[in-house]
Amino acid sequence: MIKQAIIPLAGLGTRLLPLTSVFAKELLPINGRPGIEYILDECIDAGIKEVVFIISDKKIMIKDYFYNDTFYKSIIKKKKDPRITKEYKKILRYKKMIKFVYQNKPLGTGDAVLKTEKYIKNNFFLMLLPDDLIIKKNCSKSMIKVHKIYKSSVMASMNVNRKTVSRWGIYKIDKKLNKKNYLINKVIEKPSVKFAPSNKAVIGRYILPKRIFLKLKKLKPGKSGELHITDAIQSLINDKEKFIAHNFSGKYLDCGTMAGYIKSSMEIKKI
Ligand code: UTP
């Protein structure tokens, strides 16, 4: 059963500068709503009951967004506006399911995941990278279905232009299970075109085993001196842990770059 999700939010967001010099990118509005709300809605719809946010002191505004009760209560008292009451109720619902942990030095996604260890109860948990919005079909929900069938780890995947492989984690197929799901035997963090084992990229949705914490604790820094979740996954694969790449059917929006962020509002407006 996948009931817990973790969301790393402690990165610097340099690709969205200057916006991120004072603002958390996950709160930037996408068609009038903070991006993180789309991610939380995806979790709720997929049956997730608890979400652990990995933030940093610099991104405390993310916590403030969900803990602004005194402000809301005073406004609702004064204005009696049903829209504001509705928004407040929605935020309260999110707040109830979120726990916060801190990663004050951005030492990589692997290091961020490690901070959540004490909260993870079951053998598997979901991880969502908030820059990656997937619309039209709930990717997490589809991945949980795949996990139920194969009892294995699952990662969201899509084909990318070969020239852009150095932006992603790229994997190699071991065996095709069916049209949408492949067993993988290799994953490399941001390879050069020359060393990429394919043009199949991992997108920011993962169902990971609790055992990954053991690997993360032993992991040596990889590319750019950071601890990468991809390297811990490869270490698990070396130990014969099954990882499935799931080709999702929704539409992918990359909100971590300026061009992608701008486009995302227009795409969401269309649905
Ligand atoms: P990225 O490396 O893609 O994004 O991390 P970033 O660091 O926020 O932004 P850029 O690259 O400087 O523009 C993917 C996700 O992992 C989180 C980020 O917040 C993002 O959601 N992350 C990354 C952490 O929580 N901690 C880290 O040390 C690194």
Side-chain angles (χ1 to χ4, degrees), residues 8-212:
L9 301 146
L12 298 177
T14 53
R15 287 167 299 162
L16 285 180
L17 281 169
L19 301 180
T20 43
S21 68
V22 292
F23 209 73
K25 65 177 166 184
E26 299 79 8
L27 294 180
L28 288 170
I30 297 176
N31 196 32
R33 293 181 73 193
I36 192 68
E37 289 195 5
Y38 295 97
I39 300 283
L40 286 169
D41 287 351
E42 179 178 330
C43 288
I44 293 168
D45 182 51
I48 296 296
K49 301 290 176 214
E50 186 178 278
V51 182
V52 183
F53 275 17
I54 304 124
I55 60 167
S56 65
D57 287 341
K58 282 194 194 118
K59 296 181 89 171
I60 196 74
M61 69 163 66
I62 296 176
K63 187 169 183 191
D64 293 344
Y65 181 78
F66 297 97
Y67 277 76
N68 220 350
D69 304 66
T70 317
F71 170 75
Y72 272 104
K73 280 178 189 157
S74 73
I75 294 289
I76 288 166
K77 217 172 168 184
K78 271 187 227 148
K79 294 221 166 179
K80 308 211 181 324
D81 178 341
R83 190 192 75 85
I84 299 173
T85 309
K86 197 172 154 213
E87 288 296 326
Y88 178 50
K89 279 189 183 153
K90 183 187 71 185
I91 284 178
L92 277 183
R93 184 176 180 210
Y94 291 142
K95 179 184 161 185
K96 269 192 198 148
M97 66 188 293
I98 306 172
K99 288 202 156 66
F100 292 86
V101 295
Y102 289 81
Q103 184 206 28
N104 283 326
K105 281 191 194 141
L107 298 175
T109 46
D111 181 65
V113 173
L114 204 43
K115 306 285 183 210
T116 66
E117 185 180 12
K118 65 171 189 281
Y119 287 110
I120 300 301
K121 294 173 200 139
N122 297 330
N123 287 337
F124 288 89
F125 60 96
L126 174 71
M127 172 165 86
L128 304 95
L129 299 184
D131 285 356
D132 293 348
L133 280 195
I134 300 172
I135 57 169
K136 292 187 179 164
K137 181 128 203 245
N138 189 324
C139 179
S140 297
K141 206 174 185 174
S142 308
M143 287 170 61
I144 290 172
K145 278 188 195 149
V146 175
H147 167 77
K148 272 191 190 150
I149 298 169
Y150 295 100
K151 315 269 177 280
S152 67
S153 303
V154 186
M155 301 189 284
S157 123
M158 70 175 195
N159 292 347
V160 296
N161 183 329
R162 235 198 130 79
K163 284 184 208 149
T164 67
V165 285
S166 63
R167 282 172 50 193
W168 324 84
I170 300 291
Y171 69 88
K172 189 173 165 212
I173 298 178
D174 180 25
K175 195 171 139 195
K176 215 169 173 174
L177 298 169
N178 51 47
K179 239 179 163 182
K180 289 199 165 288
N181 300 296
Y182 318 125
L183 210 53
I184 76 168
N185 61 13
K186 195 175 194 173
V187 61
I188 309 180
E189 178 70 11
K190 302 187 170 81
S192 62
V193 177
K194 196 175 157 199
F195 291 105
S198 73
N199 69 333
K200 296 186 175 303
V202 178
I203 303 301
R205 301 287 182 279
Y206 305 71
I207 291 175
L208 296 170
K210 206 177 178 175
R211 254 167 40 83
I212 202 152

